[in-house]
Amino acid sequence: MEALPRELTAELSTSASLLDAAPAAAHAPFHPTYTPVQPASPPPERKTPVRIRLDLQQRAATNLRRHMLRALRRFAVLVVADLGSFYFMRELLRTVREYAWLGDGVAARVGNALPPGILNGWQYAAALFVALFLTRNYGRGDQRRNARGLFVACALATALPLWMTIWTRGFEPVILQYAITTALVWVGLVAERRVVDRIVARVQPPERDRLDALFVGAGPACLSAIASPAFMGGVEYRPIGFVDTHLPATPGALGHITDFSLLLAGSGAQVVVVCGYATDRQFQDIVETALTAGCQVLSLPRSFSIAGVHPTTVWRRGQPLVELTAPSLKGWQLAVKRAVDVTGAIVGLVVLSPLFALLAALVKLESHGPMFFTQERVGRGGRLFRIIKLRTMVNGAEKQRDELLSRSVYGDARLFKVRDDPRMTRIGGFLRRTSLDELPQLVNVLRGEMSLVGPRPPLPSEVALYEEHHYARFDVKPGITGPWQVNGRNQVTDFEEVIALETRYIREWSLLSDLSILFRTVWVVAQMRGAH
């Protein structure tokens, strides 16, 4: 963070009396490059409010021009890259189909599924551009990287040119073409968007295009916002200081809200970030002043982060309302998820029944005891249920658990796993490494106690140690696999990180995310990464 010009501080006669009387050098800096401002002497004549407003209005054209040019550059780069990605996928398909790049057999199959004309150059390119534009995939922030939004755009773009071919070629071949084309273009777009971000970061140094951001609000809220991921990365914004709304002002503040117009005029900021709570009058003054200067205005309401809820803007009779929702699945999402769970469980139990029988027999033959191991776990809403697994340990192993707590790979009592567990049987070690011991939980899924994908169900003794925010994992049914498993399994040893992964999964749930986790689970299990 950079300090304001020394000349400006001389005009802050009001805010100077509000700051701590301690020397500025004693104020603890909140950013590596921030240095508190020293008062200038002698002070020049203070600018009038009218003069300050005129200065802001004169700066507005420059700020608005910069915002517009940034948006146009982003739009142009993405359009060119998107079309380039499409034509690359199209030429790759032609190479495989017409030049037998992967062999004659593959060329014949691809030719039957995707005959010439399916990805017809300009028609599909136009449809793709329209779909990406309508689904706001050229927007600011993270929207342009959202894999779900890109998939929706690809599905829409493919549907437009293929719609009429249903009547000439039939439903089944067109559906196959639709699925393959959508998948190909979507994979290309997701990869291209990520590559573009990396190329831009290398070609254009971030400091050349960052927007100077001035924060306004209570000192602690401003400091928290500055340290948040949205601003800490330094890619989009460069924090240059904060203006306090409270008295006395927090050490390190550039000034008080009463001098906001003067501070904004002298700072050269292009972005104003409102942090935490402000009175209606303060909020109105901040927004009006910032918009007068042509600044982008962002708001970070503190109550949202404290409550852990997800804000969504909805309109009712012309008035915008902010709806706060818990990070949990809604009715239609639960119905879709349940349908997938039931279908997957039935198919899995039918297809894998011979494997179940073989593994159960091996478990029974190796050691005395039952083939299956059941244990009480905590599920959705705190309800208790009995999880079913193939037995991987000697009979009665649970009685020895307390003796092994000190050997757990986790330093947290809310998680427990022992490397080279002495209670493990030989077949049990194989089942654990391959996660085959988890497959009987398909029965729990069919009963409605679990889901294919979700947080892992903990023991009641572990839940007894939870803090209030940890109960977010009980908003949905526990899963056979989930975000923890595909992000390192037992290599992720921080319980708070586990909760963060699961909360993000719940908040951003989609059918595509569940399918992605299921496919990634197969890869993780095949590598036996993080399995004990």
Side-chain angles (χ1 to χ4, degrees), residues 178-440:
Y178 177 79
I180 296 176
T181 303
T182 299
L184 284 174
V185 178
W186 175 66
V187 169
L189 283 180
V190 171
E192 164 252 310
R193 294 286 175 109
R194 294 184 178 181
V195 170
V196 165
D197 283 343
R198 294 190 177 185
I199 293 176
V200 170
R202 286 180 175 273
V203 173
Q204 182 170 333
E207 59 272 11
R208 288 183 53 191
D209 202 40
R210 286 186 300 179
L211 298 174
D212 291 343
L214 182 65
F215 295 75
V216 186
C222 290
L223 296 177
S224 177
I226 291 170
S228 66
F231 300 100
M232 191 175 181
V235 177
E236 297 279 346
Y237 305 102
R238 179 180 61 176
I240 60 171
F242 73 94
V243 179
D244 207 331
T245 55
H246 288 179
L247 290 175
T250 302
L254 299 178
H256 188 257
I257 187 66
T258 52
D259 287 309
F260 176 66
S261 297
L262 184 58
L263 288 163
L264 179 60
S267 69
Q270 295 93 33
V271 179
V272 172
V273 184
V274 185
C275 308
Y277 174 78
T279 66
D280 290 344
R281 179 60 183 271
Q282 288 176 337
F283 190 79
Q284 181 179 356
D285 290 344
I286 293 168
V287 173
E288 287 184 352
T289 303
L291 294 180
T292 297
C295 293
Q296 178 186 5
V297 182
L298 304 175
S299 178
L300 293 173
R302 184 177 63 182
S303 58
F304 294 170
S305 60
I306 291 177
V309 295
H310 181 66
T312 305
T313 302
V314 294
W315 289 81
R316 294 290 183 271
R317 298 184 180 274
Q319 179 178 354
L321 304 174
V322 178
E323 179 184 9
L324 305 180
T325 57
S328 182
L329 273 61
K330 307 302 181 292
W332 70 269
Q333 295 173 321
L334 291 171
V336 171
K337 190 171 177 65
R338 182 58 184 158
V340 173
D341 287 342
V342 171
T343 303
I346 292 175
V347 172
L349 288 170
V350 171
V351 173
L352 298 175
S353 55
L355 180 60
F356 284 159
L358 174 61
L359 295 176
L362 292 175
V363 171
K364 186 68 175 178
L365 289 172
E366 183 181 3
S367 63
H368 173 73
M371 294 179 290
F372 297 100
F373 169 75
T374 64
Q375 187 182 52
E376 194 172 67
R377 297 291 183 96
V378 182
R380 185 185 180 193
R383 296 183 180 88
L384 299 177
F385 72 99
R386 297 202 72 82
I387 196 172
I388 306 172
K389 304 173 70 173
L390 284 169
R391 183 169 59 86
T392 59
M393 298 184 179
V394 296
N395 196 28
E398 280 298 291
K399 298 177 182 179
Q400 306 173 36
R401 184 177 187 272
D402 292 342
E403 302 173 8
L404 298 170
L405 286 175
S406 61
R407 294 179 52 182
S408 175
V409 297
Y410 306 109
D412 195 314
R414 292 166 294 194
L415 298 171
F416 176 75
K417 187 72 67 174
V418 175
R419 186 179 284 108
D420 299 324
D421 197 318
R423 303 170 297 171
M424 195 86 66
T425 62
R426 285 178 298 176
I427 185 65
F430 169 76
L431 294 176
R432 283 287 184 89
R433 289 192 300 273
T434 58
S435 297
L436 291 174
D437 62 315
E438 310 279 0
L439 292 180

Side-chain angles (χ1 to χ4, degrees), residues 75-247:
F75 179 75
V77 168
L78 289 179
V79 169
V80 172
D82 290 342
L83 295 180
S85 170
F86 160 67
Y87 279 105
F88 174 80
M89 298 301 293
R90 180 170 175 263
E91 291 305 311
L92 182 64
L93 176 63
R94 284 186 56 193
T95 303
V96 172
R97 181 182 59 211
E98 298 175 15
Y99 299 101
W101 190 43
L102 298 178
D104 294 334
V106 174
R109 293 188 182 92
V110 172
N112 291 331
L114 298 174
I118 292 301
L119 293 180
N120 188 11
W122 68 268
Q123 291 182 355
Y124 192 95
L128 182 62
F129 170 77
V130 171
L132 288 169
F133 186 82
L134 292 178
T135 52
R136 300 183 179 180
N137 282 287
Y138 291 118
R140 294 181 295 180
D142 295 338
Q143 182 65 31
R144 64 181 183 272
R145 308 180 190 94
N146 187 285
R148 180 182 178 184
L150 292 172
F151 182 81
V152 172
C154 292
L156 177 60
T158 308
L160 293 176
L162 282 181
W163 171 250
M164 295 303 298
T165 61
I166 293 179
W167 313 109
T168 57
R169 300 200 63 204
F171 184 76
E172 291 185 1
V174 170
I175 286 298
L176 178 62
Q177 296 167 12
Y178 177 79
I180 296 176
T181 303
T182 299
L184 284 174
V185 178
W186 175 66
V187 169
L189 283 180
V190 171
E192 164 252 310
R193 294 286 175 109
R194 294 184 178 181
V195 170
V196 165
D197 283 343
R198 294 190 177 185
I199 293 176
V200 170
R202 286 180 175 273
V203 173
Q204 182 170 333
E207 59 272 11
R208 288 183 53 191
D209 202 40
R210 286 186 300 179
L211 298 174
D212 291 343
L214 182 65
F215 295 75
V216 186
C222 290
L223 296 177
S224 177
I226 291 170
S228 66
F231 300 100
M232 191 175 181
V235 177
E236 297 279 346
Y237 305 102
R238 179 180 61 176
I240 60 171
F242 73 94
V243 179
D244 207 331
T245 55
H246 288 179
L247 290 175

